[in-house]
Amino acid sequence: MEALSAINFLLAALFAACYCYQAVFLGARLLRKRRTFTARKLCRYAVLIAARNESAVIAQLLESIRQQDYPQDLLDIYVVADNCTDGTASIAREHGARVFERQNKMQVGKGYALAFLLEHIREEYPQERYDGYFVFDADNLLDPHYVTEMNKVFSNGNRAVTGYRNTKNFGDNWITAGYGIWFLRESEYLNRPRDYLGTSCAVSGTGFLFAQDLLDELGGWEYFLLTEDLEFTADLVARGIRIAYCHDAMVYDEQPQSFKQSIIQRSRWVKGYLQVVAKRGGSMVKTMLCDGSFACFDMLMCTIPAVVLTVISLVLNAAMFVVGITSARSQMDIFFASVLVSVVNSYATMYLLGAVTLLTEGRRIRCSRGKKIAYSFTFPFFVFSFGIAMLVAVFGNIEWKPIKHSVALSIGDMGSVSPQELRKLRKNRKL
């Protein structure tokens, strides 16, 4: 048991060593002002939405796109109704989207749906010329200034841009709040410092933009792993292509409310991370060693150490617990002391990360102050539950499954825009 204590200490030290560089990110976020841009031109965009049985929420997303303060004649909306059995396609058409319906039970996942959509745009609308493509999930909502702000960054020569990811059902329970804090921290304490320091940001599933010439250079959309967003990011950083960040472009999305659904989703993330490293890790390591790419180092550190060290720790401590209660009960006090110290230290670290995020981003969260305070204390438990997801991902049979969305809120419900401004945007839209 004394050896176990030493091993736990070593694992904690390795974990800290792998992520200590993020202290620089923290300092950069707190000490530096965000970058500002002025649009060099108004670009023309296609909006890509992959939807599977999203009839409950897709109308609100399409309305939020039509309420943008960006010229509507420069925005075309395309929806792929992917293996749908509900009214998603008809609702999207009613709201002015160009819709393609896809039925394919073999090639399942968002990556395949996006590739299908891009190919059909190329074949059926060859006359259209777009500077770039936005990617959203059907449950998203866009702040009215979203496209305008993204265009400022994009038109200044950034060929891939990711935005600020907020949560539309943050206050539902500790799980949705945990997701919310997680993505806010990723936006402001990982991507924003990366942008400051001139390295690449990471795309986080939804709310990002890439250029037509970048798509041509990549040879089309060829990202089909469980986490196609991370695969896209890994490919870009391995090629030395930088992803920029736009703090003022806010997108809201819906988070799972049940613990079971959350574990299913996060185990898919972890499995996808492992797939990306298996497929793209070699090219990232090569770029890191040959070109000194910090972006590749950063992306590798954000995926592998947490999975490997957490799984080793959980399996080792579970095994030693069984050994202890069967043959070394007199030393169980050492076991429990070691575990307690590790849990307390980890809880304190995760609490501070979550509390700092809530302190700086709290005004942009749709939730009462009391709930925000309470959820700062539950955030570490959300992070700890990644351990379960990691075990399921490593030892289970994981495949892509859709997450059910039902929070049918409008952008006006989020409180990020005044009723007067919304009325003005709707009036301009009618004109």
Side-chain angles (χ1 to χ4, degrees), residues 18 79 119 145 170 204 244 264 340 392:
C18 289
V79 173
E119 181 63 19
H145 312 295
F170 186 100
S204 178
I264 291 173
L340 181 61
V392 173

Side-chain angles (χ1 to χ4, degrees), residues 147-159:
V147 175
T148 295
E149 296 300 331
M150 288 288 275
N151 181 70
K152 291 178 182 178
V153 180
F154 181 79
S155 65
N156 275 270
N158 295 292
R159 296 198 293 165

